Amino acid sequence: ADGPLGNLGTGATARGVAGLSLGTSGAVRTVVPEPYADPEGRLFSYALTADAWVVGGAVSNGGAVVRWAGEMFASHIEPGARRDTELLALAEEAPPGCDGLVMRPYLLPERAPLWDPQLRGAYVGLTHRHTRGHLVRAGVEGVALRLAEIVRDLDRVHPVGAVRITGGAFRSALWRRVVAAVVDRPTVFASGAEGSALGAAALGLYALGRAPSLDAAPVLLDPSTAEGEPVPVTDAEAAAYRDLRSRGWGTP
């Protein structure tokens, strides 16, 4: 499956490191040495190798939520290559926490952590003060809160001390900062990683006995796999999302 290979290809196989990918949908995964059957049924588990098992969860509602918000509330932005850039620039006009506006981003049948196709989306806290920028940014923050919930579920398996992020959404600095602040762990953007394709090649290299360890295999193919760009988080962002979590918005 491309999920476990994505962890391998982005350098997210060390114990306590989670790989978080985000495009139209999203996922968070970590690697443990043995199978894990979640007693609460919130996380999946499948094999990478005999002694490396991927545990995590996937969300259906990722970048698609923000594109929907753009179609609904920012139709003045012309379609084209720069549409996403302009849409997220509009979102940046709103402050972290969106002045109390929160989005429950369940526009599509949701998977982890609740696996409930009947969940429905909503904006909560909407007032006359909120603008189109607030509505779009609330989508970004709502998705990030769902991904952070999976990270906290993974803490039950093994404490997550760091997160490596990858995927098309993270070409945006706003997405990077919001996810890093909401997850509230040291976060690195694996910008140069080839993800699942590199992971597949690395797994083959390891299976052929040409790499001393699974972790070393992708680095032998591409030394930049172990690198990444730390994502800075401002005090204002950290405080805003800490407040959201304290008020229960970090849970479904």
Side-chain angles (χ1 to χ4, degrees):
D2 62 348
L5 295 175
N7 271 59
L8 180 57
T10 56
T13 52
R15 198 76 187 269
V17 176
L20 189 158
S21 57
L22 183 62
T24 301
S25 57
V28 189
R29 301 172 294 264
T30 194
V31 177
V32 296
E34 56 191 22
Y36 176 78
D38 185 2
E40 298 182 21
R42 291 165 66 92
L43 301 171
F44 56 58
S45 176
Y46 41 87
L48 180 55
T49 68
D51 55 1
W53 291 74
V54 171
V55 179
V59 298
S60 301
N61 295 285
V65 171
V66 176
R67 289 192 176 177
W68 170 86
E71 292 169 2
M72 296 299 105
F73 308 120
S75 58
H76 64 287
I77 298 177
E78 294 292 331
R82 289 191 51 79
R83 178 176 173 80
D84 286 353
T85 300
E86 294 179 22
L87 180 61
L88 291 166
L90 178 65
E92 291 231 51
E93 295 176 5
C98 287
D99 292 319
L101 180 65
V102 179
M103 184 185 188
R104 293 172 59 85
Y106 303 123
L107 305 182
L108 299 168
E110 193 51 282
R111 291 178 284 172
L114 295 184
W115 307 94
D116 184 353
Q118 301 305 316
L119 287 171
R120 294 294 180 263
Y123 281 103
V124 181
L126 185 64
T127 74
H128 71 284
R129 296 181 296 110
H130 291 117
T131 66
R132 289 181 293 192
H134 287 89
L135 291 162
V136 176
R137 185 177 185 123
V140 173
E141 294 178 349
V143 170
L145 285 164
R146 300 278 60 77
L147 293 167
E149 180 68 10
I150 298 173
V151 173
R152 287 192 290 278
D153 277 339
L154 290 175
D155 283 333
R156 295 188 284 108
V157 184
H158 185 85
V160 175
V163 177
R164 292 181 66 84
I165 60 174
T166 186
F170 294 124
R171 289 193 293 267
S172 158
L174 176 65
W175 268 116
R176 296 196 297 270
R177 293 198 320 272
V178 170
V179 167
V182 174
V183 167
D184 197 25
R185 319 288 165 104
T187 300
V188 170
F189 176 38
S191 57
E194 295 296 331
S196 298
L198 179 61
L203 185 61
L205 194 71
Y206 176 69
L208 291 170
R210 297 176 61 184
S213 68
L214 187 63
D215 291 349
V219 179
L220 288 174
L221 294 170
D222 181 359
S224 70
T225 303
E227 301 171 0
E229 175 187 341
V231 180
V233 174
T234 68
D235 290 343
E237 289 166 335
Y241 301 132
R242 195 177 300 119
D243 178 64
L244 278 178
R245 291 194 302 272
S246 72
R247 292 189 285 119
W249 288 112
T251 55

